[in-house]
Amino acid sequence: MRIRYLGHSAVELADGTTNILIDPFITGNPVCPVKAEDLNPNYILVTHFHGDHVGDTVALAKRTGATVITTYDGGLDLEAQGVKTVGMALGGKRRFDFGLVRVTLAFHGHGEKGGHAAGFVVHLGNKRVYHAGDTALFSDMKLLNGVIEAPGIDVALLPIGDNFTMGPEDAAIATQWIQPKVVVPIHWGTFPMLLQDPSDFVQRVRTVGETRPVVLRPGESLEV
Ligand code: NI
Ligand code: MN
Protein backbone atom coordinates (compact mmCIF):
# COMPACT_ATOMS: atom_id res chain seq x y z
CA MET A 1 0.00 0.00 0.00
CA ARG A 2 1.30 3.43 -0.95
CA ILE A 3 0.62 6.68 0.89
CA ARG A 4 1.33 9.81 -1.14
CA TYR A 5 1.37 13.15 0.66
CA LEU A 6 -0.05 16.01 -1.41
CA GLY A 7 0.57 18.73 1.14
CA HIS A 8 -1.56 20.13 3.98
CA SER A 9 -3.98 17.31 4.93
CA ALA A 10 -4.35 15.90 1.43
CA VAL A 11 -3.28 12.28 1.21
CA GLU A 12 -3.68 9.58 -1.42
CA LEU A 13 -3.88 5.91 -0.43
CA ALA A 14 -3.42 3.33 -3.19
CA ASP A 15 -3.17 -0.45 -3.09
CA GLY A 16 -3.02 -1.07 -6.85
CA THR A 17 -6.78 -1.56 -7.09
CA THR A 18 -8.33 1.26 -5.13
CA ASN A 19 -7.31 4.91 -5.04
CA ILE A 20 -8.56 6.86 -2.04
CA LEU A 21 -8.10 10.61 -1.64
CA ILE A 22 -8.49 12.15 1.79
CA ASP A 23 -9.17 15.90 2.15
CA PRO A 24 -8.27 16.80 -1.45
CA PHE A 25 -7.27 20.45 -1.09
CA ILE A 26 -5.42 20.63 -4.42
CA THR A 27 -6.42 23.81 -6.23
CA GLY A 28 -5.15 26.80 -4.25
CA ASN A 29 -2.95 24.64 -2.03
CA PRO A 30 0.40 26.46 -2.35
CA VAL A 31 2.49 23.35 -1.60
CA CYS A 32 0.54 20.75 -3.60
CA PRO A 33 2.71 19.43 -6.45
CA VAL A 34 -0.08 17.98 -8.62
CA LYS A 35 -3.13 19.27 -10.43
CA ALA A 36 -6.62 18.02 -9.67
CA GLU A 37 -6.84 16.74 -13.28
CA ASP A 38 -3.96 14.33 -12.54
CA LEU A 39 -5.84 12.56 -9.74
CA ASN A 40 -8.24 9.67 -10.33
CA PRO A 41 -9.76 8.55 -7.05
CA ASN A 42 -12.35 5.80 -6.64
CA TYR A 43 -13.26 7.23 -3.23
CA ILE A 44 -12.84 10.63 -1.60
CA LEU A 45 -12.95 10.95 2.18
CA VAL A 46 -13.71 14.37 3.64
CA THR A 47 -13.06 14.95 7.36
CA HIS A 48 -14.89 18.29 7.52
CA PHE A 49 -16.01 21.17 5.35
CA HIS A 50 -13.43 23.86 5.87
CA GLY A 51 -12.10 24.88 2.45
CA ASP A 52 -8.62 23.49 3.14
CA HIS A 53 -10.18 19.99 3.49
CA VAL A 54 -13.21 19.73 1.20
CA GLY A 55 -11.08 21.43 -1.47
CA ASP A 56 -11.66 19.98 -4.95
CA THR A 57 -14.06 17.28 -3.76
CA VAL A 58 -17.06 18.25 -5.89
CA ALA A 59 -15.15 18.70 -9.15
CA LEU A 60 -13.08 15.53 -8.61
CA ALA A 61 -16.13 13.43 -7.75
CA LYS A 62 -18.06 14.69 -10.75
CA ARG A 63 -15.21 14.03 -13.18
CA THR A 64 -14.20 10.61 -11.87
CA GLY A 65 -17.49 9.30 -10.47
CA ALA A 66 -15.77 8.76 -7.14
CA THR A 67 -17.93 8.06 -4.11
CA VAL A 68 -17.50 10.59 -1.32
CA ILE A 69 -17.47 9.25 2.23
CA THR A 70 -18.06 11.93 4.84
CA THR A 71 -20.23 12.92 7.77
CA TYR A 72 -23.98 12.83 7.18
CA ASP A 73 -24.59 16.57 7.50
CA GLY A 74 -21.85 17.61 5.13
CA GLY A 75 -22.84 14.85 2.74
CA LEU A 76 -26.32 16.30 2.29
CA ASP A 77 -24.82 19.39 0.73
CA LEU A 78 -22.62 17.33 -1.60
CA GLU A 79 -25.58 15.20 -2.68
CA ALA A 80 -27.50 18.35 -3.49
CA GLN A 81 -24.63 19.22 -5.84
CA GLY A 82 -24.99 15.86 -7.62
CA VAL A 83 -22.15 13.98 -5.90
CA LYS A 84 -22.50 10.29 -5.00
CA THR A 85 -22.17 10.37 -1.23
CA VAL A 86 -22.08 7.92 1.66
CA GLY A 87 -23.03 9.68 4.90
CA MET A 88 -21.62 8.30 8.12
CA ALA A 89 -21.34 9.63 11.67
CA LEU A 90 -18.92 9.56 14.58
CA GLY A 91 -18.22 6.08 15.88
CA GLY A 92 -19.75 4.38 12.85
CA LYS A 93 -17.90 1.96 10.62
CA ARG A 94 -18.81 0.48 7.29
CA ARG A 95 -17.34 -2.05 4.91
CA PHE A 96 -16.62 -1.01 1.33
CA ASP A 97 -15.26 -3.09 -1.55
CA PHE A 98 -11.69 -2.10 -0.58
CA GLY A 99 -12.04 -2.51 3.17
CA LEU A 100 -13.45 -0.87 6.24
CA VAL A 101 -13.81 2.81 7.15
CA ARG A 102 -14.35 3.95 10.72
CA VAL A 103 -15.35 7.52 11.50
CA THR A 104 -13.48 8.80 14.55
CA LEU A 105 -13.96 11.79 16.80
CA ALA A 106 -12.21 15.06 16.02
CA PHE A 107 -12.46 18.14 18.20
CA HIS A 108 -12.72 20.95 15.69
CA GLY A 109 -15.33 23.00 13.84
CA HIS A 110 -17.11 21.33 10.96
CA GLY A 111 -17.61 24.29 8.64
CA GLU A 112 -21.32 23.60 8.10
CA LYS A 113 -24.31 24.06 10.39
CA GLY A 114 -25.15 20.97 12.41
CA GLY A 115 -22.07 19.09 11.34
CA HIS A 116 -19.24 17.62 13.35
CA ALA A 117 -15.62 17.32 12.30
CA ALA A 118 -14.27 13.78 12.04
CA GLY A 119 -11.23 11.66 11.43
CA PHE A 120 -11.04 8.28 9.69
CA VAL A 121 -9.46 4.90 10.13
CA VAL A 122 -9.14 3.30 6.70
CA HIS A 123 -8.37 -0.38 6.22
CA LEU A 124 -6.65 -0.79 2.87
CA GLY A 125 -4.19 -3.41 1.63
CA ASN A 126 -4.07 -5.13 5.04
CA LYS A 127 -3.02 -1.86 6.73
CA ARG A 128 -4.86 0.44 9.09
CA VAL A 129 -4.34 4.14 8.45
CA TYR A 130 -5.63 6.79 10.86
CA HIS A 131 -6.15 10.25 9.35
CA ALA A 132 -6.97 12.50 12.32
CA GLY A 133 -8.37 15.39 10.28
CA ASP A 134 -8.14 18.69 12.13
CA THR A 135 -8.32 18.08 15.86
CA ALA A 136 -7.20 18.96 19.33
CA LEU A 137 -5.50 16.30 21.39
CA PHE A 138 -8.09 14.17 23.18
CA SER A 139 -7.53 11.18 25.42
CA ASP A 140 -9.93 8.83 23.59
CA MET A 141 -7.23 8.58 20.91
CA LYS A 142 -5.90 5.89 23.25
CA LEU A 143 -8.76 3.63 22.14
CA LEU A 144 -7.16 3.34 18.71
CA ASN A 145 -4.28 1.51 20.34
CA GLY A 146 -5.75 -1.97 20.19
CA VAL A 147 -9.09 -1.34 21.94
CA ILE A 148 -11.37 -0.37 19.03
CA GLU A 149 -8.78 -1.04 16.33
CA ALA A 150 -7.08 -4.27 17.41
CA PRO A 151 -4.26 -4.97 16.81
CA GLY A 152 -3.60 -1.25 16.35
CA ILE A 153 -2.79 1.43 13.81
CA ASP A 154 -0.07 0.97 11.18
CA VAL A 155 0.19 4.58 10.06
CA ALA A 156 -1.14 7.67 11.84
CA LEU A 157 -1.43 10.96 9.94
CA LEU A 158 -1.54 13.65 12.62
CA PRO A 159 -1.82 17.44 12.34
CA ILE A 160 1.07 19.31 13.93
CA GLY A 161 0.64 22.86 12.56
CA ASP A 162 -0.75 24.37 15.79
CA ASN A 163 -3.16 27.33 15.93
CA PHE A 164 -6.05 25.40 14.27
CA THR A 165 -5.04 21.91 15.47
CA MET A 166 -2.60 20.14 17.74
CA GLY A 167 0.92 21.48 17.72
CA PRO A 168 4.02 19.26 17.78
CA GLU A 169 4.01 18.75 21.56
CA ASP A 170 0.40 17.53 21.67
CA ALA A 171 0.80 15.48 18.49
CA ALA A 172 3.76 13.71 20.10
CA ILE A 173 1.54 12.84 23.07
CA ALA A 174 -1.10 11.58 20.62
CA THR A 175 1.57 9.39 19.04
CA GLN A 176 2.52 8.00 22.44
CA TRP A 177 -1.13 7.13 23.11
CA ILE A 178 -1.95 5.66 19.69
CA GLN A 179 1.38 3.84 19.28
CA PRO A 180 1.18 3.49 15.51
CA LYS A 181 4.05 1.78 13.72
CA VAL A 182 4.64 4.98 11.71
CA VAL A 183 3.51 8.57 12.23
CA VAL A 184 3.43 11.15 9.44
CA PRO A 185 2.89 14.82 10.34
CA ILE A 186 0.28 16.71 8.28
CA HIS A 187 -1.31 20.19 8.30
CA TRP A 188 2.03 21.99 8.53
CA GLY A 189 4.06 24.26 6.26
CA THR A 190 1.18 25.16 3.94
CA PHE A 191 0.77 28.75 5.05
CA PRO A 192 2.99 31.15 7.01
CA MET A 193 0.85 30.77 10.14
CA LEU A 194 1.35 26.99 10.25
CA LEU A 195 4.54 25.44 11.65
CA GLN A 196 7.23 25.33 8.96
CA ASP A 197 9.62 22.76 10.44
CA PRO A 198 8.56 19.32 11.72
CA SER A 199 11.93 18.49 13.35
CA ASP A 200 10.69 19.31 16.85
CA PHE A 201 7.85 16.82 16.37
CA VAL A 202 10.26 14.18 15.07
CA GLN A 203 12.54 14.64 18.09
CA ARG A 204 9.64 14.36 20.50
CA VAL A 205 8.29 11.20 18.85
CA ARG A 206 11.72 9.57 19.10
CA THR A 207 11.65 10.05 22.88
CA VAL A 208 8.15 8.67 23.54
CA GLY A 209 8.17 5.14 22.15
CA GLU A 210 8.76 2.81 19.24
CA THR A 211 6.83 4.74 16.60
CA ARG A 212 8.89 5.69 13.54
CA PRO A 213 8.34 9.32 12.50
CA VAL A 214 8.35 9.81 8.72
CA VAL A 215 8.29 13.34 7.33
CA LEU A 216 6.94 13.43 3.80
CA ARG A 217 7.42 16.53 1.68
CA PRO A 218 4.47 17.25 -0.63
CA GLY A 219 4.64 14.76 -3.52
CA GLU A 220 6.60 12.14 -1.56
CA SER A 221 5.28 8.66 -0.87
CA LEU A 222 5.65 6.01 1.77
CA GLU A 223 5.26 2.28 1.05
CA VAL A 224 3.87 0.25 3.93
NI1 NI B 1 -10.52 22.82 9.74
MN1 MN C 1 -7.53 22.64 8.37
Side-chain angles (χ1 to χ4, degrees), residues 4-221:
R4 180 162 64 136
Y5 184 48
L6 300 174
H8 204 58
S9 292
V11 176
E12 181 186 63
L13 310 180
D15 71 347
T17 306
T18 304
N19 186 297
I20 300 173
L21 270 181
I22 308 177
D23 286 357
F25 172 42
I26 309 300
T27 305
N29 176 346
V31 298
C32 183
V34 302
K35 290 193 168 8
E37 306 91 270
D38 301 328
L39 300 170
N40 287 293
N42 308 109
Y43 292 89
I44 301 170
L45 275 57
V46 179
T47 61
H48 66 293
F49 285 75
H50 288 150
D52 59 321
H53 295 262
V54 67
D56 296 88
T57 295
V58 171
L60 275 167
K62 285 190 171 175
R63 177 174 57 80
T64 63
T67 299
V68 177
I69 302 169
T70 188
T71 53
Y72 177 77
D73 302 272
L76 293 178
D77 187 48
L78 293 180
E79 263 181 14
Q81 295 180 67
V83 171
K84 192 171 25 161
T85 308
V86 174
M88 297 179 66
L90 301 181
K93 56 189 187 322
R94 180 156 171 164
R95 196 163 288 287
F96 295 88
D97 55 2
F98 60 85
L100 188 132
V101 171
R102 171 194 293 278
V103 183
T104 68
L105 300 181
F107 285 83
H108 186 77
H110 178 265
E112 298 223 332
K113 261 190 182 167
H116 199 300
F120 295 107
V121 176
V122 180
H123 295 196
L124 182 68
N126 252 338
K127 302 291 176 188
R128 292 164 193 244
V129 178
Y130 171 47
H131 187 297
D134 280 357
T135 187
L137 178 66
F138 58 97
S139 57
D140 282 3
M141 285 179 175
K142 292 173 184 172
L143 298 173
L144 294 171
N145 181 18
V147 179
I148 57 172
E149 280 291 339
I153 300 296
D154 292 289
V155 180
L157 304 160
L158 302 182
I160 66 161
D162 225 332
N163 194 87
F164 299 114
T165 68
M166 297 188 281
E169 307 89 344
D170 291 7
I173 294 168
T175 305
Q176 186 175 17
W177 286 345
I178 299 163
Q179 289 183 36
K181 292 193 176 75
V182 173
V183 67
V184 178
I186 60 174
H187 213 269
W188 65 274
T190 324
F191 304 110
M193 80 187 75
L194 295 181
L195 175 82
Q196 302 298 306
D197 177 3
S199 59
D200 176 56
F201 173 69
V202 166
Q203 279 310 111
R204 287 172 185 275
V205 167
R206 288 200 174 122
T207 65
V208 298
E210 300 299 305
T211 298
R212 181 165 65 101
V214 175
V215 176
L216 297 176
R217 306 284 155 179
E220 289 182 346
S221 296

